[in-house]
Amino acid sequence: MISQLAAQRHIPKSEVLRNLVDRGLVSIGAKTDDDYLYELVQRAVKETMQPQIERLAAISAKAAHISSAAFFMGVYSATRDRSPAEQRQIEEVASSARSLGIQYLKLKDRDIDAFIQNGVKTITEDDFNE
């Protein structure tokens, strides 16, 4: 068996034996191996955190769903009982807002205040240019 491991790994039998002894000593706690301990801790943390990560992802998806429903309800409410020209103008602003939302999701920089100010300026300039 040791010969097979050595042949598979292309290392001498003595190195296979050293590795097996080291792993055995680490597993019983007689020797510390930082990489092994790191892997154990990392696995334990991941197993502990995974349910919370999935829960937060589900909450985020629900928030995105209700937010989009609110956006479209707002557009519907704003265009209701308006003239066709006003409806087009509202729909154009809503389209600009959607585009800005997509751009924001693609941002690497988290400076939301500057992004919002520029977005409002863009929408406002579009209104004045019409």
Side-chain angles (χ1 to χ4, degrees), residues 23-83:
R23 293 295 255 178
L25 291 172
V26 168
S27 69
I28 64 170
K31 180 181 176 187
T32 59
D33 179 1
D34 291 340
D35 291 338
Y36 179 73
L37 291 175
Y38 174 77
E39 289 173 19
L40 286 177
V41 170
Q42 188 177 25
R43 191 174 328 130
V45 168
K46 185 176 180 180
E47 288 173 3
T48 302
M49 295 303 296
Q50 195 62 36
Q52 284 76 14
I53 291 169
E54 291 171 5
R55 181 174 173 271
L56 289 173
I59 290 170
S60 179
K62 288 177 184 176
H65 182 259
I66 199 69
S67 176
S68 62
F71 174 81
F72 290 111
M73 187 64 187
V75 171
Y76 171 76
S77 297
T79 57
R80 193 168 173 206
D81 299 329
R82 301 292 177 135
S83 71

